[in-house]
Amino acid sequence: MTKYFRLLPFPEGEDKFNEFKEKGFVSIGWWELFSVTDLTREQIKERYMETYPTSTVHASRLVASYFIKLQEMTPGDVILIPYSGEYHFFEVEGKYFFDNEEQDIALKQRIKVKFIKKLNKNSFSTKFRKSIGVQPTLTYLGEYKDEIESALLGDDPISLSKQEAFVYTESSGSISLSYSDNISKKILKEFFDKVLDEI
């Protein structure tokens, strides 16, 4: 089953979006941890505190969660990167690894990907956009699986930036329709088909 993630393109505080897209991989920071392949969450937290002794336990938990997510990624999973008002989607093509030969420290903790699609953020529901904006470096988007898949297939969700209601009036009467923020065009079509079948 495809898993969906959101990643910010700023490892070590540097903007690496163009490198991600051009070179076919994404990365996160904390290169001084070196490879964490096969380490458990607790082991990553311990290594983090040993490497960054002035940091906090809370930070160690966050960083460990990022690396666990990287370890869990498998080919076919999808990573969303928000950048310049648009959402860029990449498909995972490999497994996490530490590139010891990479000279750029911001690009050592990486995973191979390929770019698949770019969508305007206004194609997504307000709830989705707000969630994307407040999440930390790397997060799981399982809650929005259906919305992402619909958008990637071209079935854009209707958001608050568009109409929330329609009213159609003629001499014989009128029809009004209202809907919530995260309803997709596919669901609207299914609704109309059901209504017509029952008339």
Side-chain angles (χ1 to χ4, degrees), residues 91-103:
E91 181 179 335
V92 174
E93 291 193 315
K95 294 286 290 181
Y96 155 77
F97 72 101
F98 179 81
D99 190 339
N100 199 42
E101 297 183 0
E102 172 63 55
Q103 297 301 305

Side-chain angles (χ1 to χ4, degrees), residues 178-196:
S178 61
Y179 48 85
S180 63
D181 181 48
N182 58 351
I183 296 298
S184 70
K185 294 175 184 176
K186 177 182 177 182
I187 294 174
L188 279 175
K189 183 178 183 303
E190 291 174 352
F191 168 76
F192 285 124
D193 288 342
K194 185 174 182 180
V195 169
L196 291 173

Side-chain angles (χ1 to χ4, degrees), residues 12 31 42 103 106 110 116 118 122 124 137 182 189:
E12 302 294 342
W31 71 274
E42 289 303 315
Q103 297 301 305
R110 62 169 68 180
I116 55 175
K118 175 179 69 175
N122 290 326
F124 292 83
T137 299
N182 58 351
K189 183 178 183 303

Side-chain angles (χ1 to χ4, degrees), residues 20-188:
F20 289 179
K21 195 169 182 179
E22 293 167 5
K23 297 181 179 180
F25 62 81
V26 297
S27 66
I28 63 174
W30 303 283
W31 71 274
E32 291 174 306
L33 297 180
F34 295 94
S35 176
V36 299
T37 301
D38 299 327
L39 293 187
T40 66
R41 187 183 300 268
E42 289 303 315
Q43 290 171 328
I44 296 172
K45 287 164 58 178
E46 290 174 7
R47 181 177 293 184
Y48 177 89
M49 293 307 299
E50 291 170 359
T51 306
Y52 307 99
T54 61
S55 190
T56 65
V57 172
H58 176 68
S60 74
R61 291 173 182 155
L62 282 177
V63 173
S65 74
Y66 303 153
F67 280 103
I68 291 298
K69 290 181 179 71
L70 276 184
Q71 291 177 3
E72 291 174 344
M73 290 182 187
T74 57
D77 289 344
V78 173
I79 300 172
L80 181 163
I81 297 180
Y83 191 77
S84 295
E86 296 176 308
Y87 292 158
H88 303 257
F89 293 86
F90 296 77
E91 181 179 335
V92 174
E93 291 193 315
K95 294 286 290 181
Y96 155 77
F97 72 101
F98 179 81
D99 190 339
N100 199 42
E101 297 183 0
E102 172 63 55
Q103 297 301 305
D104 189 334
I105 61 173
L107 302 177
K108 287 180 173 289
Q109 305 279 14
R110 62 169 68 180
I111 191 166
K112 183 175 175 59
V113 299
K114 69 175 180 181
F115 174 74
I116 55 175
K117 195 167 189 177
K118 175 179 69 175
L119 294 171
N120 190 289
K121 67 179 182 180
N122 290 326
S123 296
F124 292 83
S125 67
T126 300
K127 179 182 178 183
F128 181 88
R129 298 198 309 271
K130 286 182 177 178
S131 175
I132 291 297
V134 300
Q135 297 290 350
T137 299
L138 177 60
T139 190
Y140 181 57
L141 296 176
E143 178 183 354
Y144 301 101
K145 178 179 182 295
D146 291 342
E147 183 169 348
I148 294 171
E149 291 180 348
S150 292
L152 290 176
L153 290 172
D155 182 29
D156 296 344
I158 298 172
S159 72
L160 286 177
S161 64
K162 304 175 184 178
Q163 287 179 280
E164 285 186 88
F166 291 100
V167 177
Y168 176 78
T169 303
E170 63 171 29
S171 59
S172 60
S174 65
I175 299 173
S176 63
L177 170 69
S178 61
Y179 48 85
S180 63
D181 181 48
N182 58 351
I183 296 298
S184 70
K185 294 175 184 176
K186 177 182 177 182
I187 294 174
L188 279 175

